[in-house]
Amino acid sequence: MSEQTEHTQSGVVIVGAGMAGVQTAVALREQGWTGPVILLGAEPHQPYDRPPLSKAVLLGKAEDSAFDVDFEGLGIELRLGVEVTGLRAADRELDTESGPVPYGVLVLATGAEPLTLPGSEGVPGVHLLRTLDDAARLRPVLARTPATVVVGAGWIGAEFATAAREAGCAVTVVEAADRVLAGALPAEVAAPMAGWYEEVGAALLTSAKVASVESGRVLLADGRELPAGAVVVGIGARPATRWLAGSGVELGADGSVTADAYLRTSLPGVYAVGDCASFPSARYGARLLVHHWDNALQGPRVVAANILAGAGAGAGAGAEAEAKAESGAALQVYDPVPYFWSEQFGRFVQYAGHHADADTLLWRGDPGGQAWSVCWLRAGSLVAILAVGRPRDLAQGRKLIETGAAVDPGRVADPGTPLKSAVAAPQ
């Protein structure tokens, strides 16, 4: 028996039962994997989708957001409430509180964990919003409509501020940077978004650093004191990879698993996908760490395909997988156009691409209005687009980014011209 066949007989173990983990398990079955699939989730809840937590679940419009997946019917062994504490690659085993779990192929899909505000741990009334339990704790708090302080004016802070205002809370958003979305968008693009807070009656304080949080109040570094019946911290997240220290899995400075173009890690038979993994993008000439839902949906399909291609016709590979192996199916490269959306302050905001190395910024429409877009070009081609209330711009722009076609800047900047018509004439 070959080493590869021996390992695949142990099956695929997936650590993390969020979107990336669940979709990897489902994709394996859809693509023909017939061997064991074990899905380990740290939470006791049935696997669920996270975006509704800051909206429907938080506001009591839905009890949960469980995935509509028949795990039993698919032959996926779901083990919940299992915290993985270590990885011993030489033994091909995971350490958990309930004992070791052997694996043939391992997929790391542990997601990200929210950053905490230093000094706020254990203070009554301070909340994070990452899990179903977090939302369950916050929902009755918001129902009492206390004065609420949101720390962080990023995407999650804006979404929570929207929900809190809808619930009737007085809301003050505190941001240490000098503008909203400082880590995500250029100042000129983020500037009109700052006005959205005032529109819904939320106070926005920028260049405001939190000195300390006490029960019932937040103290700022400049001496101001904010009453706070509830404090919600939304200052970012880091990959949930601390448990991999010393395992031999290469991690980047940001804590992400350093995956290759096929989403393989530095260890044989170990893959990484979703919020916990960075990957090299030939499209953008950079290593990307994408903390968004679409990445956790798209990446698993590539991981599953590459597991099947790597397993060949060995144990666990079904008829479809064997046919792929016989045809010499190559490994799939993962190089998507990143995409995410955010619903905030009555607006649907979408973004596709990566604008870091763009050389041209073009506006489509009036940023003071309800619907507008921003397009980023590099060397004459569209590389990123932000669309506010213009979903058609986003859909057409995303396709232009995928093709890399040269565009006419004048047409791109004309909000009355469909983006699909902005392709430049051949020279």
Side-chain angles (χ1 to χ4, degrees):
M1 181 183 294
S2 70
E3 181 186 6
Q4 177 173 278
T5 303
E6 181 181 355
H7 286 155
T8 54
Q9 278 188 330
S10 302
V12 179
V13 175
I14 303 165
V15 184
M19 170 64 84
V22 168
Q23 290 299 323
T24 299
V26 171
L28 280 166
R29 291 298 188 225
E30 288 178 345
Q31 295 182 31
W33 179 265
T34 57
V37 176
I38 298 173
L39 184 60
L40 305 179
E43 294 182 53
H45 308 289
Q46 196 73 6
Y48 59 89
D49 204 5
R50 293 190 188 279
L53 295 184
S54 62
K55 309 173 188 72
V57 175
L58 188 61
L59 293 175
K61 297 176 182 177
E63 284 305 310
D64 59 37
S65 53
F67 293 117
D68 185 17
V69 174
D70 181 2
F71 294 101
E72 185 176 355
L74 289 171
I76 297 168
E77 183 182 343
L78 190 59
R79 300 184 188 176
L80 300 177
V82 177
E83 185 81 40
V84 179
T85 57
L87 164 60
R88 289 177 285 109
D91 300 324
R92 289 213 175 209
E93 283 189 340
L94 295 166
D95 290 323
T96 76
E97 293 179 350
S98 55
V101 177
Y103 66 86
V105 176
L106 178 64
V107 180
L108 307 175
T110 48
E113 56 191 12
L115 298 176
T116 58
L117 189 65
S120 67
E121 295 88 343
V123 177
V126 177
H127 301 267
L128 299 170
L129 183 54
R130 182 68 182 176
T131 69
L132 189 60
D133 287 337
D134 292 337
R137 282 188 290 266
L138 258 172
R139 190 161 66 182
V141 173
L142 289 190
R144 297 194 296 270
T145 63
T148 302
V149 172
V150 180
V151 182
W155 299 113
I156 190 66
E159 290 182 4
F160 180 81
T162 300
R165 285 298 298 139
E166 188 174 330
C169 301
V171 176
T172 301
V173 180
V174 177
E175 172 56 55
D178 61 356
R179 63 182 191 274
V180 302
L181 295 165
L185 296 173
E188 62 185 301
V189 177
M193 298 176 167
W196 299 352
Y197 289 79
E198 184 178 358
E199 283 182 14
V200 300
L204 173 64
L205 305 179
T206 55
S207 299
K209 296 183 179 179
V210 174
S212 65
V213 179
E214 301 173 2
S215 181
R217 64 177 185 167
V218 173
L219 302 177
L220 302 183
D222 61 9
R224 282 180 289 180
E225 180 180 318
L226 306 175
V231 178
V232 178
V233 179
I235 56 175
R238 74 176 304 281
T241 57
R242 299 178 199 272
W243 66 280
L244 289 168
S247 67
V249 172
E250 182 184 349
L251 302 178
D254 54 12
S256 65
V257 177
T258 305
D260 68 7
Y262 309 108
L263 298 179
R264 301 176 303 192
T265 74
S266 56
L267 292 179
V270 182
Y271 296 77
V273 66
D275 289 6
C276 72
S278 64
F279 57 90
S281 170
R283 186 192 309 277
Y284 292 107
R287 176 165 286 276
L288 303 182
L289 175 61
V290 181
H291 280 184
H292 294 298
W293 186 90
D294 192 66
N295 178 51
L297 176 66
Q298 304 297 338
R301 297 167 186 167
V302 172
V303 167
N306 290 341
I307 289 173
L308 288 161
E320 185 178 343
E322 290 180 7
K324 288 180 182 177
E326 289 174 4
S327 67
L331 294 177
Q332 289 188 19
V333 169
Y334 187 59
D335 194 4
V337 174
Y339 166 76
F340 75 91
W341 81 94
S342 176
E343 295 178 81
Q344 52 183 269
F345 309 117
R347 293 170 170 85
F348 187 45
V349 183
Q350 296 170 282
Y351 177 95
H354 180 67
H355 66 266
D357 294 323
D359 53 41
T360 303
L361 186 153
L362 299 171
W363 292 86
R364 283 172 62 82
D366 177 9
Q370 286 291 114
W372 48 273
S373 298
V374 174
C375 295
W376 287 269
L377 277 57
R378 184 182 66 205
S381 295
L382 189 68
V383 292
I385 180 170
L386 173 78
V388 177
R390 290 181 67 102
R392 188 171 299 174
D393 275 5
L394 190 287
Q396 295 180 10
R398 191 176 185 181
K399 290 180 179 177
L400 288 176
I401 297 170
E402 289 172 349
T403 63
V407 294
D408 181 321
R411 292 180 185 173
V412 171
D414 178 7
T417 298
L419 275 177
K420 65 181 180 181
S421 302
V423 177
Q427 296 295 317

